[in-house]
Amino acid sequence: MPARTAALVTGVGLALPGVAAAADLLDARRSTDPVDPAARLGRRGLRYQDRATQLALTAARDALADAGILPADAQRADDDTLAVDGTRVAVVASSNLGNLDTVCETSAAITEASTDVVSPMALPNASSNVVASAVAQRFSLRGPNLMLCNGPTSGLDAVHWAAALIRAGRCRHALVVGVEPANDVVARLTGIPRGDLLDGAVALLVEDPAEAAARGARPLAELGDYTRDADLTACLSGTDGAQPGDWGVWFAEDSLAAAADVPLDGALRNVPRHALGAVHGQASGALGVLQCAAAVGWFSSGGTAPALVTAGEHEGDAVATLTLRPAEAARR
Amino acid sequence: MTWTEAPVGMVVTGMGAVAGVGDDVEEIFEALCAGRSGRAPLKEFDSTRFRARHAYEIDDRGSGKGMPLRATSWLLRAVEEALADAGLRDDLGSVPVLVGTGLRELRSVETAWQKGPGGEDFDLGRLHFGTALRERFGATRTYTLSNACSASLHTLAMAQDLIAAGEADTVVVAGVDTITASMFGLLDRVQMTVPDRVRPFDRERRGTLMGDGAAAIVLTRQDGSAGERAHGLLRGVAMNCDAGHPTAPDPQGISAAIRSAHERAGVKPDDIDLVVLHGTGTLLNDEAETTAVGEVFGPHASHPLMTALKGMTGHTSGGSGLLSLIVAARSLSTGRVPPTVGLDHRVPGAEPFRFVLPGQARPAASPLRLAQINAFGFGGVNAVAVLEGIA
């Protein structure tokens, strides 16, 4: 009977303005040139897809290629193109705001005129799971297909559920995609200026360790304990792995970090912290996936200690935490 | 714990539901068994903007259209009923709550958007249900899964995994949806003909019409005491994705999901006594589902009783799978099965199916022991559950 083993990250894909590699996520700089999915994926198949879906497909392609599951130059996949069995690959996507543009613009058009004026091609985009299912369709991934729309922790929750699906034997590989689009509908509804919103996607390929070893995949990070609780103190007291002093890097937005000053005798205050939303734009449902990709980047830049990833809010919903460890530990 | 260990028994110890045809599980089950429909003229929307003039709404608005947070209110009511039924306090703490939904609180967003720039009063933090579940039940392990029309059977599968992995002893699984103008309108636009009612598996069916509803169950690891008040034993839940067309279902993906559910449950097609079909009344779903069920059941296609509820509930989207499961549990307990309202002349391929029909006494049969519940959604997301009755 094998002991419970953690899942591995074996691929990262980014569709972010001005960011080419995961290690670049740690630089406090960003570009304002928007990602052009058609330039990276070709135009075919993108025409009726919303911005969030296009960004998600772009990041998903790169994560699959980075993990060696898809040929480096492939823009889509069928059963013959994939290096693994597509029925054993799950998709777990996360987005809170992805299809608000379609929903609001369609309902407004109907109210002003009638259903005659709306395009039938918008139908898939009215369903919030369009991102997860479009990724599955383009890359022939027939495993469980989940779309988390779970508020500020949604991205971290998606990474957790990917590992949970693997642990439950429902799949061997899981493609996690976090995405949010910047558009006028989201800007108006959130009250956040469009330029301060993330317009991008991040994808991770998560795998069963035995499967990754068998196919010679290169491990980038190991997923550790995940918790979701009322606040950060409650989350971390339930973590049986790293102690506060062990963390080498902490990913948290300013609002959560401010609320976390008190717990753990302030030990977290000495851990270098990155607030990625402040750099790359308010990331909502994409945040947790973005943070995990940055943790992978931190490891690839020489980081050897565990990374603590946190998202959420003390008031309102809840807080989620995840520990990632460098791949060396996975190969031990 | 891992999946290689002996299977963990899980039982449904509490159930709750709200729909157009009733305010709780008993009211809904009685209405459905009597063949009563929740179909009515459109209330939430200006019907002159649509070709379709009917829906299966919950009529609790009181003073008008565009009331915010209706899906949330039904969800909370269904969970309250399920907790009370299970004999649990409504302080959930770390008990996971997994909510499957197609359309979240998008109707609240639509009405906020219509008020124009500056008039939006909807807090986007309530688009998912975690905050409301924390306020009402103190729940902090909450997940809103937006998985189209099979969402609540997907959350059922996720709950099963949590318990099997030893990460929880009890999980609340729920499903909820309210009709959005965008989805109702886009369906109105794409359907070739205008349906005036939902007619599952009928040759003359003209499409689907949406319905409002919520459903919730308490799923608990089986031990001595949990079995005593149980409504059913969850044998297995499968989920997969067609990875085919954005909206059209694929019979191959569906049959793979059904086979996988049977395998997980350790049953064969001729063990199944009742199938609660997805049966949306769209041209494509009913055809694909008929093909898939016919293929998997083969020579045993005439063994199980079959029914589809959407002729009475409308298409309740993300909540529909769990509502079907609750009805299946009541059917296994009582031996009564609601009829397939709207079905007069069955689609080609469904000739061997033993549909329960309105006005017909249920065909004489041995006691019902095992039920299969189907749910399929846009994007080819399929989920199938197998439930065993408790004698």
Side-chain angles (χ1 to χ4, degrees), chain B residues 179-256:
Chain B
I179 306 170
T180 59
S182 50
M183 182 58 82
F184 192 82
L186 281 161
L187 289 170
D188 194 67
R189 177 75 175 81
V190 301
Q191 298 193 114
M192 306 282 278
T193 49
V194 186
D196 66 339
R197 65 192 61 224
V198 178
R199 305 187 63 184
F201 300 99
D202 192 276
R203 258 184 268 161
E204 304 294 318
R205 69 195 183 286
R206 292 158 78 178
T208 200
L209 291 170
M210 297 170 72
D212 293 323
I217 65 164
V218 176
L219 187 68
T220 303
R221 180 188 306 278
Q222 190 176 30
D223 61 27
S225 60
E228 282 171 20
R229 55 191 307 148
H231 297 287
L233 174 70
L234 184 64
R235 292 286 296 263
V237 194
M239 49 185 174
N240 72 358
C241 181
D242 294 344
H245 189 274
T247 54
D250 175 4
Q252 276 197 326
I254 293 175
S255 58

XYZ file of all heavy atoms in Angstrom, chain B residues 179-256:
573
model
N -33.414 31.055 -13.629
C -33.354 31.306 -15.069
C -32.728 32.674 -15.347
O -33.136 33.670 -14.758
C -34.777 31.265 -15.663
C -35.468 29.951 -15.286
C -34.744 31.439 -17.170
C -36.959 29.920 -15.625
N -31.738 32.708 -16.250
C -31.199 34.002 -16.673
C -31.832 34.395 -18.003
O -32.191 33.538 -18.816
C -29.670 33.950 -16.877
O -29.363 32.962 -17.877
C -28.952 33.602 -15.591
N -31.928 35.703 -18.220
C -32.461 36.186 -19.498
C -31.537 35.788 -20.638
O -31.994 35.468 -21.741
C -32.620 37.708 -19.449
N -30.217 35.805 -20.374
C -29.272 35.489 -21.451
C -29.406 34.032 -21.888
O -29.440 33.743 -23.084
C -27.842 35.809 -21.025
O -27.540 35.256 -19.764
N -29.493 33.109 -20.940
C -29.600 31.696 -21.321
C -30.983 31.383 -21.896
O -31.104 30.725 -22.926
C -29.292 30.793 -20.119
C -29.324 29.307 -20.433
S -28.181 28.790 -21.742
C -26.645 28.634 -20.834
N -32.024 31.882 -21.237
C -33.385 31.648 -21.749
C -33.510 32.243 -23.157
O -34.083 31.636 -24.066
C -34.411 32.288 -20.805
C -35.833 31.862 -21.067
C -36.309 30.665 -20.569
C -36.688 32.664 -21.809
C -37.630 30.262 -20.812
C -37.997 32.269 -22.054
C -38.464 31.070 -21.555
N -32.924 33.429 -23.343
C -33.013 34.118 -24.628
C -32.201 33.446 -25.716
O -32.638 33.356 -26.873
N -31.002 32.969 -25.367
C -30.185 32.308 -26.386
C -30.785 30.958 -26.786
O -30.746 30.585 -27.955
C -28.737 32.166 -25.910
C -27.935 33.465 -26.059
C -26.685 33.451 -25.182
C -27.560 33.721 -27.514
N -31.362 30.253 -25.830
C -32.067 29.010 -26.181
C -33.253 29.336 -27.089
O -33.527 28.649 -28.074
C -32.543 28.276 -24.922
C -31.448 27.621 -24.077
C -32.019 27.132 -22.744
C -30.804 26.453 -24.819
N -33.940 30.421 -26.765
C -35.072 30.891 -27.555
C -34.627 31.182 -28.990
O -35.335 30.896 -29.949
C -35.611 32.170 -26.907
C -36.977 32.573 -27.412
O -37.936 31.825 -27.137
O -37.088 33.621 -28.076
N -33.420 31.732 -29.108
C -32.897 32.107 -30.423
C -32.478 30.889 -31.241
O -32.709 30.851 -32.441
C -31.690 33.041 -30.211
C -30.972 33.476 -31.476
C -31.771 34.527 -32.228
N -31.022 35.016 -33.381
C -30.951 34.375 -34.550
N -31.571 33.217 -34.716
N -30.254 34.875 -35.546
N -31.839 29.906 -30.595
C -31.255 28.807 -31.378
C -32.210 27.649 -31.635
O -31.993 26.883 -32.561
C -29.983 28.221 -30.714
C -28.935 29.289 -30.549
C -30.296 27.560 -29.398
N -33.244 27.513 -30.834
C -34.118 26.354 -31.051
C -34.936 26.582 -32.325
O -35.489 27.651 -32.535
C -34.999 26.096 -29.821
C -34.126 25.760 -28.605
C -34.888 25.183 -27.409
O -34.682 24.047 -27.055
N -35.736 25.969 -26.795
N -34.962 25.560 -33.173
C -35.582 25.707 -34.486
C -37.061 26.048 -34.358
O -37.610 26.794 -35.140
C -35.457 24.385 -35.266
C -34.040 23.883 -35.372
S -33.135 24.783 -36.632
C -33.670 23.902 -38.091
N -37.682 25.469 -33.359
C -39.104 25.692 -33.158
C -39.308 26.227 -31.745
O -38.427 26.117 -30.911
C -39.870 24.367 -33.308
O -39.200 23.388 -32.503
C -39.880 23.910 -34.756
N -40.464 26.803 -31.496
C -40.715 27.389 -30.182
C -41.488 26.393 -29.324
O -42.628 26.069 -29.630
C -41.544 28.680 -30.309
C -41.670 29.349 -28.954
C -40.914 29.606 -31.312
N -40.865 25.915 -28.250
C -41.604 24.969 -27.414
C -42.637 25.693 -26.551
O -42.392 26.801 -26.078
C -40.515 24.349 -26.537
C -39.388 25.331 -26.541
C -39.504 26.164 -27.783
N -43.805 25.081 -26.383
C -44.768 25.636 -25.429
C -44.757 24.820 -24.142
O -45.359 25.194 -23.151
C -46.169 25.698 -26.032
C -46.739 24.310 -26.296
O -45.933 23.345 -26.393
O -47.973 24.184 -26.402
N -44.058 23.678 -24.183
C -43.904 22.838 -23.009
C -42.727 21.902 -23.260
O -42.297 21.755 -24.400
C -45.170 22.030 -22.738
C -45.498 21.016 -23.838
C -46.903 20.459 -23.672
N -47.890 21.530 -23.767
C -48.933 21.641 -22.927
N -49.111 20.760 -21.962
N -49.783 22.615 -23.073
N -42.228 21.268 -22.198
C -41.142 20.307 -22.349
C -41.747 18.916 -22.521
O -42.582 18.496 -21.712
C -40.198 20.339 -21.127
C -39.095 19.288 -21.274
C -39.596 21.731 -20.960
N -41.330 18.243 -23.578
C -41.900 16.919 -23.877
C -40.762 15.907 -24.053
O -40.404 15.563 -25.179
C -42.758 17.000 -25.143
C -43.846 18.077 -25.054
C -44.773 18.015 -26.238
N -45.486 16.743 -26.255
C -46.321 16.378 -27.231
N -46.522 17.162 -28.272
N -46.931 15.212 -27.181
N -40.240 15.383 -22.950
C -39.081 14.501 -23.031
C -39.370 13.258 -23.880
O -40.398 12.606 -23.707
C -38.833 14.094 -21.576
C -39.509 15.137 -20.756
C -40.683 15.589 -21.568
N -38.478 12.981 -24.788
C -38.495 11.754 -25.597
C -39.713 11.617 -26.501
O -40.001 10.540 -26.997
C -38.333 10.508 -24.697
C -37.040 10.541 -23.926
C -37.019 10.967 -22.597
C -35.854 10.192 -24.536
C -35.830 11.031 -21.899
C -34.657 10.266 -23.846
C -34.642 10.679 -22.521
N -40.440 12.717 -26.711
C -41.578 12.658 -27.622
C -41.130 13.032 -29.033
O -40.308 13.919 -29.208
C -42.695 13.599 -27.165
C -43.985 13.340 -27.917
O -44.143 13.883 -29.041
O -44.825 12.570 -27.398
N -41.689 12.355 -30.017
C -41.340 12.647 -31.404
C -41.651 14.086 -31.776
O -41.021 14.662 -32.641
C -42.134 11.706 -32.332
C -41.314 10.553 -32.869
C -42.144 9.743 -33.837
N -42.823 8.659 -33.158
C -43.874 8.005 -33.642
N -44.401 8.369 -34.804
N -44.405 7.016 -32.978
N -42.674 14.660 -31.162
C -43.081 16.030 -31.491
C -42.443 17.072 -30.584
O -42.865 18.227 -30.580
C -44.605 16.155 -31.390
C -45.376 15.162 -32.241
C -45.148 15.414 -33.733
O -45.150 16.582 -34.136
O -44.936 14.425 -34.471
N -41.452 16.695 -29.814
C -40.824 17.660 -28.892
C -40.220 18.817 -29.686
O -39.727 18.636 -30.788
C -39.754 16.974 -28.048
C -38.528 16.557 -28.833
C -37.679 15.566 -28.057
N -36.448 15.223 -28.782
C -36.412 14.432 -29.849
N -37.523 13.907 -30.340
N -35.256 14.174 -30.451
N -40.253 19.991 -29.105
C -39.810 21.170 -29.846
C -38.675 21.908 -29.149
O -38.270 22.974 -29.593
C -41.003 22.103 -30.050
C -42.030 21.470 -31.000
C -43.407 22.062 -30.836
N -43.521 23.364 -31.483
C -44.637 24.071 -31.514
N -45.732 23.592 -30.932
N -44.674 25.232 -32.105
N -38.193 21.366 -28.080
C -37.081 22.036 -27.401
C -37.307 22.070 -25.913
O -38.293 21.530 -25.407
N -36.392 22.733 -25.215
C -36.512 22.764 -23.766
C -36.941 24.140 -23.290
O -36.785 25.142 -23.999
C -35.179 22.346 -23.095
O -35.454 21.940 -21.747
C -34.164 23.486 -23.077
N -37.512 24.182 -22.101
C -37.815 25.433 -21.409
C -37.234 25.304 -20.016
O -37.275 24.235 -19.409
C -39.331 25.656 -21.311
C -40.056 25.956 -22.628
C -41.568 25.903 -22.414
C -39.644 27.325 -23.166
N -36.699 26.406 -19.514
C -35.993 26.321 -18.243
C -36.936 26.379 -17.050
O -38.076 26.842 -17.150
C -34.956 27.447 -18.158
C -33.878 27.314 -19.238
S -32.832 28.772 -19.320
C -31.906 28.543 -17.816
N -36.424 25.901 -15.923
C -37.162 25.950 -14.667
C -36.252 26.414 -13.535
O -35.029 26.313 -13.636
N -36.854 26.928 -12.482
C -36.112 27.302 -11.272
C -36.087 26.112 -10.322
O -37.034 25.324 -10.278
C -36.849 28.428 -10.521
C -36.886 29.744 -11.274
O -35.895 30.089 -11.940
O -37.926 30.438 -11.171
N -35.042 26.020 -9.513
C -35.062 24.975 -8.493
C -33.768 24.843 -7.728
O -32.721 25.331 -8.157
N -33.869 24.201 -6.577
C -32.696 23.897 -5.755
C -32.901 22.520 -5.133
O -34.036 22.090 -4.911
C -32.510 24.940 -4.656
N -31.795 21.846 -4.863
C -31.850 20.536 -4.220
C -30.620 20.389 -3.342
O -29.569 20.961 -3.650
C -31.886 19.428 -5.274
N -30.753 19.661 -2.246
C -29.597 19.449 -1.369
C -29.726 18.094 -0.689
O -30.843 17.635 -0.403
C -29.520 20.553 -0.306
N -28.596 17.453 -0.469
C -28.592 16.220 0.325
C -27.439 16.255 1.320
O -26.481 16.998 1.152
C -28.448 14.943 -0.543
C -27.086 14.909 -1.244
C -29.573 14.809 -1.539
C -26.721 13.543 -1.795
N -27.573 15.462 2.357
C -26.475 15.217 3.289
C -25.955 13.821 2.980
O -26.721 12.850 3.002
C -26.942 15.307 4.755
C -25.792 14.951 5.697
C -27.480 16.700 5.057
N -24.667 13.737 2.655
C -24.031 12.460 2.343
C -23.071 12.123 3.477
O -22.228 12.947 3.844
C -23.277 12.561 1.016
C -22.687 11.269 0.446
C -23.794 10.311 0.006
C -21.769 11.575 -0.738
N -23.213 10.927 4.048
C -22.458 10.577 5.250
C -21.825 9.204 5.114
O -22.412 8.301 4.523
C -23.409 10.573 6.470
O -24.027 11.848 6.568
C -22.665 10.310 7.766
N -20.625 9.094 5.661
C -19.976 7.784 5.719
C -20.879 6.825 6.485
O -21.427 7.151 7.527
C -18.635 7.927 6.451
C -17.856 6.630 6.585
C -16.645 6.838 7.491
N -15.824 7.947 7.035
C -14.908 7.844 6.062
N -14.708 6.689 5.475
N -14.213 8.888 5.701
N -21.023 5.638 5.935
C -21.965 4.693 6.532
C -21.372 4.078 7.797
O -20.273 3.550 7.796
C -22.273 3.577 5.536
C -23.415 2.694 5.956
C -23.743 1.675 4.882
O -22.864 1.263 4.148
N -24.990 1.280 4.800
N -22.120 4.202 8.869
C -21.779 3.409 10.055
C -23.100 2.953 10.658
O -24.154 3.137 10.048
C -20.916 4.202 11.036
C -21.622 5.436 11.556
O -22.871 5.448 11.604
O -20.932 6.404 11.926
N -23.063 2.366 11.829
C -24.272 1.801 12.397
C -25.427 2.774 12.457
O -26.513 2.492 11.969
N -25.190 3.976 12.986
C -26.303 4.890 13.222
C -26.723 5.625 11.962
O -27.884 5.952 11.787
C -25.919 5.891 14.307
O -24.783 6.621 13.893
N -25.749 5.893 11.049
C -26.088 6.674 9.866
C -27.059 5.930 8.964
O -27.854 6.530 8.260
C -24.827 7.026 9.087
N -27.013 4.593 8.982
C -27.877 3.828 8.100
C -29.333 3.862 8.519
O -30.220 3.665 7.701
N -29.587 4.126 9.809
C -30.944 3.985 10.333
C -31.950 4.917 9.687
O -33.081 4.538 9.435
C -30.935 4.225 11.847
C -30.414 3.020 12.608
C -30.190 3.342 14.076
O -30.779 4.331 14.556
O -29.427 2.609 14.716
N -31.508 6.151 9.425
C -32.458 7.098 8.862
C -32.129 7.415 7.407
O -32.516 8.441 6.881
C -32.474 8.375 9.696
C -31.114 9.021 9.859
C -31.169 10.121 10.898
N -32.218 11.068 10.591
C -32.905 11.738 11.522
N -32.629 11.533 12.792
N -33.825 12.592 11.180
N -31.380 6.519 6.758
C -30.895 6.832 5.416
C -31.973 6.681 4.354
O -32.875 5.855 4.456
C -29.705 5.954 5.088
N -31.851 7.506 3.307
C -32.756 7.452 2.159
C -32.198 6.579 1.051
O -32.916 6.235 0.124
C -32.969 8.855 1.606
C -33.629 9.781 2.560
N -34.966 9.681 2.869
C -33.142 10.816 3.287
C -35.279 10.642 3.737
N -34.202 11.333 4.017
N -30.928 6.292 1.110
C -30.339 5.494 0.049
C -28.841 5.389 0.224
O -28.233 6.169 0.956
N -28.288 4.392 -0.444
C -26.853 4.150 -0.402
C -26.277 4.563 -1.749
O -26.739 4.089 -2.792
C -26.619 2.657 -0.150
C -25.207 2.109 -0.186
C -24.401 2.609 1.014
C -25.241 0.583 -0.195
N -25.303 5.466 -1.717
C -24.699 5.926 -2.967
C -23.686 4.888 -3.434
O -22.662 4.682 -2.790
C -24.022 7.288 -2.769
C -23.430 7.905 -4.038
C -24.519 8.225 -5.053
C -22.617 9.148 -3.700
N -23.987 4.238 -4.539
C -23.100 3.181 -5.010
C -21.959 3.715 -5.861
O -20.870 3.164 -5.850
C -23.912 2.153 -5.807
C -24.894 1.359 -4.950
C -24.191 0.323 -4.097
N -23.549 -0.679 -4.910
C -24.079 -1.876 -5.208
N -25.251 -2.217 -4.728
N -23.431 -2.726 -5.966
N -22.197 4.738 -6.658
C -21.107 5.250 -7.485
C -21.562 6.414 -8.342
O -22.754 6.535 -8.653
N -20.625 7.276 -8.675
C -20.898 8.400 -9.568
C -19.744 8.507 -10.551
O -18.585 8.519 -10.147
C -21.002 9.750 -8.813
C -21.611 10.817 -9.724
C -21.791 9.622 -7.533
N -20.070 8.593 -11.826
C -19.037 8.757 -12.852
C -19.161 10.124 -13.497
O -20.254 10.693 -13.556
C -19.194 7.678 -13.922
N -18.032 10.661 -13.948
C -18.090 11.901 -14.725
C -17.033 11.855 -15.824
O -15.955 11.314 -15.640
C -17.918 13.124 -13.829
C -16.751 13.084 -12.874
S -16.746 14.548 -11.773
C -15.388 14.119 -10.681
N -17.388 12.409 -16.974
C -16.429 12.519 -18.072
C -16.823 13.694 -18.956
O -17.774 14.415 -18.660
C -16.360 11.207 -18.878
C -17.599 10.961 -19.720
O -18.562 11.735 -19.708
N -17.602 9.879 -20.465
N -16.031 13.877 -20.024
C -16.318 14.986 -20.944
C -16.231 14.467 -22.370
O -15.282 13.774 -22.731
C -15.322 16.119 -20.711
S -15.595 17.561 -21.769
N -17.235 14.832 -23.198
C -17.218 14.418 -24.605
C -15.995 14.967 -25.332
O -15.477 14.339 -26.246
C -18.451 14.979 -25.344
C -19.760 14.389 -24.855
O -19.730 13.346 -24.184
O -20.809 14.988 -25.159
N -15.574 16.189 -24.955
C -14.547 16.915 -25.711
C -14.928 16.959 -27.185
O -14.101 16.775 -28.075
C -13.162 16.293 -25.502
N -16.203 17.199 -27.434
C -16.714 17.237 -28.804
C -17.251 18.603 -29.163
O -16.510 19.571 -29.263
N -18.571 18.687 -29.275
C -19.224 19.930 -29.697
C -19.494 20.832 -28.485
O -19.713 20.335 -27.384
C -20.544 19.559 -30.391
C -21.220 20.712 -31.055
N -22.070 21.551 -30.381
C -21.158 21.176 -32.333
C -22.508 22.486 -31.221
N -21.972 22.275 -32.402
N -19.480 22.182 -28.701
C -19.742 23.092 -27.564
C -21.106 22.881 -26.901
O -21.237 23.061 -25.689
C -19.676 24.474 -28.196
C -18.877 24.315 -29.441
C -19.107 22.906 -29.916
N -22.142 22.545 -27.683
C -23.457 22.403 -27.054
C -24.136 21.065 -27.356
O -24.973 20.625 -26.572
C -24.413 23.546 -27.497
O -24.457 23.578 -28.929
C -23.936 24.885 -26.968
N -23.791 20.412 -28.452
C -24.478 19.168 -28.811
C -23.876 17.982 -28.068
O -22.664 17.872 -27.968
C -24.384 18.935 -30.315
N -24.723 17.104 -27.539
C -24.219 15.938 -26.808
C -23.715 14.851 -27.758
O -24.115 14.797 -28.922
C -25.449 15.451 -26.048
C -26.607 15.903 -26.871
C -26.190 17.169 -27.557
N -22.849 13.993 -27.242
C -22.263 12.912 -28.021
C -22.661 11.579 -27.385
O -22.327 11.320 -26.231
C -20.735 13.082 -28.013
C -20.026 11.927 -28.693
O -20.695 11.027 -29.231
O -18.787 11.936 -28.678
N -23.399 10.737 -28.115
C -23.847 9.458 -27.532
C -22.689 8.628 -26.992
O -22.845 7.924 -25.991
C -24.527 8.738 -28.707
C -24.858 9.790 -29.691
C -23.864 10.898 -29.507
N -21.534 8.724 -27.635
C -20.378 7.941 -27.172
C -19.902 8.380 -25.800
O -19.581 7.553 -24.944
C -19.222 8.107 -28.156
C -19.299 7.159 -29.336
C -17.956 7.065 -30.032
O -17.227 8.063 -30.088
N -17.634 5.895 -30.529
N -19.842 9.692 -25.597
C -19.431 10.212 -24.294
C -20.427 9.819 -23.222
O -20.071 9.450 -22.102
N -21.723 9.886 -23.568
C -22.780 9.543 -22.608
C -22.730 8.058 -22.252
O -22.793 7.686 -21.078
C -24.167 9.930 -23.179
C -24.275 11.463 -23.282
C -25.281 9.368 -22.316
C -25.551 11.948 -23.951
N -22.578 7.205 -23.269
C -22.559 5.766 -22.955
C -21.311 5.423 -22.142
O -21.361 4.570 -21.250
C -22.672 4.922 -24.221
O -21.636 5.210 -25.110
N -20.204 6.108 -22.414
C -18.992 5.868 -21.608
C -19.238 6.249 -20.153
O -18.796 5.554 -19.227
C -17.814 6.657 -22.171
